[in-house]
Every structure is written in structure tokens, then in C-alpha cells.
Amino acid sequence: MLVTGGAGFIGSNFVRYALRAHPDWRVTTLDKLTYAGRRENLHDVMDDPRHRFVHGDVADPAVAAPLARNSNIVVHFAAETHVDRSILSAGEFITTDVFGTFVLLEAARESPALRRFVQISTDEVYGSVPEGSSRETDELKPRNPYSASKAGADRLAYSYWATYDVPVIITRASNNYGPYQFPEKVIPLFVTNAIDDIQVPLYGDGLNERDWLHVEDHCRAVDLLIEAADNGEVYNVGGGNHVRNVDLTQRILHLAGKPDSLIRHVADRPGHDRRYSVDTTKLRTLGWAPQMAFDSGLAATVDWYRQNEWWWRPIKDADPAFRAYYDTQYGRTRS
Ligand code: NAD
Ligand code: TYD
């Protein structure tokens, strides 16, 4: 199995999950190690003889194509993933998320051994969903450069099934949380700020809503779909935990033992999607249901960041690139 983006948040959890669930599988991680990709995320499997790490770019056919051609399964996580960064600068999102997916799909066309190509898409391709839940057949209405580039990749992958019979399936998961998530995303950012008594920047009125999915539940879904899905099909994956940002923030502060006065209301994200929600009936029909309750999952996640400062302090305290991003995104006040 080739796992692209395996040094990122979900990818590294998935590599670990797959090695545990399938003792006879061999896994290759292909990762460019952007700011979001870190060898540390795979620290406990780097020496596993069943795992190989390749440092490279999915958009570089010289590296990516032979790996994809020699795999039975490709799970394509690699992407630029942060909405706020896509608003600041969209170029890398097109290069990696769209063109990188094209490079892998071209290689997949020439791979006789390939039995599954999993395109990891996102529920954000549906755009903002004021009420109800998106079904897999709903129209895609992405509204920011990240979700638009993911929608392009999602439909490109579908086209390689429809046109060339590449065994593509597409997953659209909701917001993930759990260990090893880069501290630019709301949960790890707010948890680590809270630990350090730094204010947490809540966008707009704080009433935007997300459906939180524990990363381990996401990994189980992808693992099941590799075996049980039908080619050419799309599968939503959602935790069923719909929480408004202000409530999420208060829960995080409470778990961290910090006061609500750490909340700093800041200007809204441009084009901020109000709400995401996916209907997961199709996946549940295959026997999947989320196992992690949000209360215990969030508490375990807060504990993980508490106990693994070795993992996030080098980013938040010592990486000038992260500091530059933080200052650009939130202004220079870090109080
Ligand atoms: P992440 O930003 O933590 O990790 C992305 C990984 O991709 C990093 O290791 C990075 O180094 C690597 N990468 C980036 N550009 C690359 C390139 N050109 N070549 C090779 N590797 C490259 O992201 P994540 O949160 O783990 O998301 C993984 C996938 O899941 C993405 O496709 C994302 O769109 C999708 N997704 C994420 C969520 C979520 O809540 N995080 C929800 C649904 C779907
Ligand atoms: P994020 O983790 O960036 O995921 P996404 O935008 O892909 O859903 O943000 C989750 C929610 O939290 C989203 O509604 C934006 C909000 N948010 C804040 O209020 N402040 C922040 O500093 C960040 C990063 C996000």
C-alpha cells in the first residue's frame, strides 16, 4: 500500500492503524515533509521493517509514478489542508491537491496490480450546509481555495474511474481531531494556547458549526472501504458530533482548566462556511459506525497534547515559519 501524506495528521494515524490491523501488509509512505509533515509523526513505525518512508513530492512524476505503479492500494492523503493558508496564498493548493492527484491518477492508469485508489476528499466540497446533511449525490459548492482544489481532485479521481476504469473510490470526511494534528487547526491550536495561557482567537460570532470525527474512527472507515466499497462510489464519513465553535472552545478551556476569559473574539474568516454536516447512511450500511464519543475523545485529545509537549513545542515555540504564519494570521499580539 502506498500512503501519500503519511507524515501528516491523518496519514500518520492511518499508517499506524494499517500496520496494526494488517500484519502481512507492507506500507510505503510518500511525503514531501512540508511544514505540516513531520517524521516525528511516524516515530514509532520508522523502524518497522514493513514500513518504508520516501521523502518526495506527489506532483513529481519521477518519484510518485513508480511508487503508485508498484502498489496494490493507493491511499491519497497528501494535500495542502488549511483553509486559512489557502486564503492567504492558494498556489500550493492547486499544485499539490489538483496536479499532484493528476500525477498519481496517471500512474494508476498504468498499474495492472492496483486494486484500489482511495481519493481522500472532504465534506468541505459540499460548501456551507445551512440545514440538514449532505448526501453523496448532492451538488458540490466549494467556497474557498482549499475546498475548491479538493473538489477538483475529487471529480478528477472520479473521471479516471468513469473514463479509464481506474479502481477509484472517494471519501468525504468531516473535521477530524486527535493526536498529531498540526497546531494551526482549531482544536490543537486552542488546546496548546490554553496550556500556555495564551488567548484563543475565535472567528466571527463563534456560531459556525462543525461535525467532529475522531481520527481513529476515520482510519477504520478508510480501512473498511478499501475492502468493501464499490469502485466509482463516494462515501461520506462523519462523527455525528455537531458542535458550535463557541461551545467547542468552552469545552476545551474547561478541560484544560482555564477560564473563558482566554477567548478573544477576532475578525471572521473571509467566506467562512457556516456549517458542515454529512449523511453517513451509505457507509453505515457497510457496517461502520463511529466508536469514539466526543466527550471522551476530546478529553483524551487534550490529555495527549498535555503529555506530548515534545511534539508541539518545537513548532509553536521554536519554528520561525510557524511564528510568521501566526503573526500574519492573528496579528502580533500573543497575550
Ligand atoms: P496535514 O496537513 O496534517 O498533512 C498533509 C500531509 O501531506 C503532510 O504530511 C504534508 O507534508 C504532505 N504533503 C503536502 N504536500 C505534499 C506533496 N506535494 N507531496 C507529498 N506530500 C505532501 O493534513 P491532514 O489533516 O492529515 O489531511 C490529510 C487529508 O485528509 C487531506 O487530503 C485532507 O484534505 C483530508 N481531510 C482532512 C480533514 C481534517 O479534518 N483534517 C477532514 C477531511 C479530509
Ligand atoms: P479549522 O480547524 O481550520 O477547520 P476547517 O476550517 O477546515 O473546518 O477550523 C474549524 C472551525 O474553527 C472553523 O469554523 C473556523 C474556526 N476557527 C476559529 O474560530 N479560530 C481559529 O483560529 C481557527 C484556526 C479556526
Side-chain angles (χ1 to χ4, degrees):
M1 176 166 66
L2 173 66
V3 179
T4 72
F9 162 47
I10 307 174
S12 63
N13 279 283
F14 183 71
V15 167
R16 200 172 290 111
Y17 183 98
L19 289 168
R20 209 171 54 227
H22 305 283
D24 54 332
W25 284 17
R26 283 176 299 132
V27 178
T28 298
T29 296
L30 170 62
D31 200 294
K32 189 180 173 182
L33 298 178
T34 66
Y35 77 92
R38 302 173 72 209
R39 290 174 197 272
E40 290 91 324
N41 295 0
L42 293 166
H43 63 98
D44 49 344
V45 293
M46 276 301 195
D47 294 331
D48 188 322
R50 296 172 301 142
H51 177 240
R52 175 168 64 129
F53 179 80
V54 178
H55 183 194
D57 188 338
V58 289
D60 177 1
V63 184
L67 292 174
R69 275 199 297 268
N70 288 322
S71 300
N72 303 121
I73 301 164
V74 174
V75 185
H76 178 34
F77 289 101
E80 289 291 334
T81 62
H82 194 39
V83 172
D84 292 323
R85 290 189 193 250
S86 83
I87 293 168
L88 291 171
S89 172
E92 285 295 308
F93 289 74
I94 310 306
T95 314
T96 290
D97 302 16
V98 184
F99 188 74
T101 302
F102 160 73
V103 168
L104 289 171
L105 288 165
E106 277 293 299
R109 273 179 73 185
E110 300 160 12
S111 172
L114 189 72
R115 68 179 178 90
R116 201 62 101 182
F117 185 107
V118 185
Q119 173 60 21
I120 302 290
S121 187
T122 165
D123 68 348
E124 303 194 21
V125 297
Y126 296 114
S128 194
V129 185
E131 57 190 23
S133 299
S134 308
R135 302 193 57 176
E136 287 86 350
T137 46
D138 283 359
E139 193 181 344
L140 306 189
K141 293 182 182 170
R143 289 161 30 85
N144 60 62
Y146 163 66
S147 54
S149 65
K150 291 296 292 186
D154 176 316
R155 292 298 82 195
L156 191 65
Y158 178 79
S159 79
Y160 272 64
W161 173 74
T163 310
Y164 306 114
D165 220 14
V166 174
V168 168
I169 62 167
I170 296 142
T171 64
R172 296 185 186 143
S174 63
N175 284 64
N176 280 222
Y177 71 103
Y180 301 101
Q181 186 168 29
F182 195 80
E184 65 189 352
K185 303 287 178 2
V186 74
I187 289 182
L189 177 68
F190 283 14
V191 171
T192 55
N193 274 18
I195 290 170
D196 282 348
D197 296 303
I198 296 170
Q199 289 197 313
V200 299
L202 185 60
Y203 294 157
D205 61 10
L207 300 181
N208 300 64
E209 190 180 291
R210 297 292 183 263
D211 169 10
W212 292 98
L213 170 70
H214 194 272
V215 67
E216 198 74 5
D217 280 327
H218 188 185
C219 291
R220 271 193 312 107
V222 173
D223 190 47
L224 171 70
L225 288 169
I226 287 171
E227 299 307 330
D230 287 328
N231 288 333
E233 293 293 320
V234 178
Y235 297 86
N236 289 338
V237 190
N241 303 300
H242 297 89
V243 186
R244 297 181 314 173
N245 290 342
V246 64
D247 300 326
L248 173 72
T249 306
Q250 284 173 346
R251 281 157 96 153
I252 289 171
L253 292 173
H254 181 77
L255 286 165
K258 303 293 166 138
D260 285 359
S261 56
L262 274 189
I263 296 176
R264 176 161 69 106
H265 288 276
V266 300
D268 208 353
R269 170 188 283 173
H272 194 174
D273 286 341
R274 194 65 165 168
R275 179 174 177 271
Y276 301 130
S277 177
V278 282
D279 182 321
T280 56
T281 309
K282 190 170 173 182
L283 176 61
R284 285 171 187 262
T285 307
L286 297 177
W288 178 91
Q291 289 178 1
M292 184 64 92
F294 189 58
D295 277 343
S296 43
L298 188 63
T301 301
V302 171
D303 274 349
W304 189 86
Y305 288 94
R306 267 206 195 102
Q307 284 160 23
N308 289 279
E309 296 196 5
W310 70 269
W311 183 83
W312 56 268
R313 284 218 178 274
I315 303 166
K316 287 199 69 178
D317 296 357
D319 180 357
F322 185 80
R323 176 56 59 94
Y325 164 73
Y326 199 96
D327 289 347
T328 305
Q329 181 63 22
Y330 300 105
R332 289 184 186 278
T333 43
R334 245 181 142 231
S335 52

